[in-house]
Amino acid sequence: MKIRIERVNSELQKQISAVIAHDIKDPRLGTGLVGVTKVSTTPDLKHAKVYLSVYAKTEEERSAAVETVRRSKNFIRNRLKELVQIRLLPELHFELDTSVDYGIRIDNLLKTIDIPPADEEEK
């Protein structure tokens, strides 16, 4: 059963990315790039969390892009019905994936730590 859910997640991720990139013609997406980083489907296949990664110049553009995708949920779901061969298509819930921002923040914090080189510690 777990393999089936993983396959469904993978296929949904691929198809949702394609629909967002090619089929949504909303100018509110702006110049930002919207990608699907992960899809997590419940075991009963009724709900799916779709994690979005948005690369935009400003936080306002980023928020507008996420809201545009959320408002396009029904359109995306209807396109998926044509593209994905599955009996029950899960209800989509879009979330902003902040893991990349978190990783950048941790990396910047690590760069600010002053650690002496290993050779100086031995002396």
Side-chain angles (χ1 to χ4, degrees):
M1 183 70 169
K2 185 175 182 175
I3 295 171
R4 178 176 182 228
I5 291 174
E6 289 175 4
R7 285 190 359 226
V8 168
N9 288 341
S10 175
E11 185 64 20
L12 285 175
Q13 180 179 355
K14 184 172 80 171
Q15 296 301 337
I16 292 170
S17 293
V19 169
I20 290 173
H22 303 295
D23 296 340
I24 296 180
K25 304 293 184 205
D26 195 322
R28 291 174 287 194
L29 277 178
T31 58
L33 180 65
V34 179
V36 177
T37 56
K38 181 181 175 185
V39 175
S40 179
T41 308
T42 58
D44 61 0
L45 298 175
K46 289 188 177 182
H47 299 277
K49 270 191 180 178
V50 180
Y51 294 93
L52 301 173
S53 179
V54 181
Y55 301 101
K57 294 178 183 176
T58 64
E59 190 63 35
E60 293 81 26
E61 287 180 3
R62 187 180 198 180
S63 299
V66 171
E67 281 306 310
T68 301
V69 172
R70 285 181 180 152
R71 276 186 250 120
S72 303
K73 176 172 65 170
N74 292 331
F75 172 77
I76 294 170
R77 204 157 179 267
N78 287 334
R79 287 289 294 137
L80 287 177
K81 287 178 186 176
E82 301 169 7
L83 300 170
V84 179
Q85 300 296 321
I86 188 171
R87 192 174 352 134
L88 287 174
L89 192 64
E91 184 69 30
L92 303 175
H93 305 279
F94 293 98
E95 299 288 327
L96 181 62
D97 186 4
T98 58
S99 62
V100 174
D101 295 333
Y102 183 74
I104 291 171
R105 184 171 165 253
I106 295 297
D107 189 44
N108 289 336
L109 287 172
L110 290 173
K111 287 179 183 176
T112 62
I113 297 174
D114 188 26
I115 300 174
D119 330 9
E120 292 180 14
E121 289 179 5
E122 294 174 4
K123 291 182 183 179

